[in-house]
Amino acid sequence: MHKGAIFPLFYLPPVEFFSQMKAHKEQIVIEASEHFPKQTYRNRASIDSPQGKLDLIVPVIKGSKVHTNIRDVKISYDFNWQRLHWMSIQTSYRRSAYFEFYEDAFARFYEEKWDYLFDYNVELLELLAKSLKLQLPYTLNSGYEETYPDMDDFRKSIHPKLPSDRTFKEYFQVFGERNGFLPNLSIIDLLFSQGPQSASFL
C-alpha cells in the first residue's frame, strides 16, 4: 500500500503524473502554497506533433516580484496562445481514435478565459480525472513545507528536464511510424489514443 503523496499542479500533465496519482489515491495533496518555478510542467505540456515532440507553453504575466505564489500567477493573453495550442492539438490528434469523443469538453479551455493559472489547471485536472474515470480526491495544502517526511514528494521529480525512471507501456501514437514511440507525453496523448482504456496503461 502506497503512502500519501504531494503533487504540483500541472497544465495537461504527463502520463507519469497520473500514474503516480493513481498509485497514491488514498491520500493526495496538491501544492497550493509554493512560489511559481519557471520552466516546469506547471505551465507547459508536451504532445506528439507531425514534427516530433512539441511543447505547448501557457504564457504568464511577469509580476514585479520574482517570487510569486502559485495561486497568484496570472495567465497572459498578450497573444492568442489558446488558438495556437488548440490548433496544435487538433493537428496532432484529429486522426486519433478518441479525439472527437473528448473534443467538446476540452475546447472550452481554449475558448474561455481564466485569470489565474492555478484555477485553470485545477479545472483541467478535474476534467482529465473524469475522462480517465479515476477517483482522485485531493486536498490543497495550506502553507508551504520544504519537506514532507511521511509522504512521497513529486514537486520537483516530475520535470521536463529530468528523465523519468519509470517504464512506460507502449500504446499506439498517431505519428508512431514517423517519430517512434515517445514516452511520458501529456496525458491527452494517451487519452485521445486509448479512450476508456487509458487508465490501464497507467
Side-chain angles (χ1 to χ4, degrees):
M1 181 171 167
H2 282 272
K3 55 185 178 180
I6 181 163
F7 292 86
L9 194 58
F10 291 155
Y11 167 62
L12 300 178
V15 170
E16 180 182 8
F17 178 89
F18 281 97
S19 179
Q20 295 289 10
M21 271 206 157
K22 184 181 178 186
H24 294 82
K25 61 187 177 188
E26 286 80 14
Q27 186 188 5
I28 295 171
V29 177
I30 297 290
E31 175 59 80
S33 304
E34 65 181 355
H35 289 151
F36 175 67
K38 297 176 181 177
Q39 297 184 333
T40 70
Y41 288 124
R42 287 159 183 80
N43 67 321
R44 73 174 58 204
S46 300
I47 64 172
D48 188 11
S49 82
Q51 288 76 43
K53 184 178 171 184
L54 174 68
D55 285 343
L56 304 177
I57 300 172
V58 178
V60 297
I61 294 173
K62 293 168 177 60
S64 54
K65 297 177 183 174
V66 176
H67 299 298
T68 306
N69 185 283
I70 191 71
R71 299 189 80 161
D72 296 329
V73 173
K74 288 190 170 184
I75 297 173
S76 171
Y77 295 97
D78 286 348
F79 75 96
N80 196 350
W81 64 268
Q82 288 176 295
R83 181 173 180 272
L84 179 65
H85 283 208
W86 190 234
M87 284 179 64
S88 297
I89 290 170
Q90 287 179 310
T91 299
S92 297
Y93 298 112
R94 174 63 68 195
R95 288 169 44 216
S96 63
Y98 291 94
F99 177 77
E100 289 186 359
F101 184 78
Y102 298 107
E103 181 177 9
D104 289 348
F106 282 91
R108 65 177 284 258
F109 287 91
Y110 302 95
E111 295 165 353
E112 301 172 21
K113 285 184 167 56
W114 279 254
D115 288 333
Y116 294 96
L117 178 67
F118 192 88
D119 298 337
Y120 184 64
N121 287 349
V122 163
E123 291 200 43
L124 269 173
L125 174 65
E126 291 175 355
L127 170 61
L128 287 162
K130 180 181 176 183
S131 301
L132 293 163
K133 295 182 166 51
L134 293 177
Q135 296 291 323
L136 300 172
Y138 61 85
T139 57
L140 304 178
N141 66 354
S142 56
Y144 182 76
E145 299 285 344
E146 190 68 38
T147 61
Y148 284 81
D150 300 325
M151 304 181 79
D152 288 330
D153 189 343
F154 295 102
R155 291 175 295 178
K156 294 179 181 176
S157 61
I158 302 177
H159 193 284
K161 295 182 178 177
L162 295 177
S164 174
D165 58 2
R166 295 182 68 83
T167 300
F168 296 95
K169 193 194 305 187
E170 293 193 16
Y171 55 88
F172 174 82
Q173 290 178 325
V174 176
F175 303 106
E177 287 188 10
R178 185 183 308 181
N179 300 332
F181 179 74
L182 301 178
N184 205 26
L185 295 176
S186 167
I187 191 69
I188 63 171
D189 185 80
L190 173 61
L191 183 65
F192 295 156
S193 169
Q194 299 298 318
Q197 288 78 44
S198 296
S200 66
F201 286 81
L202 298 176

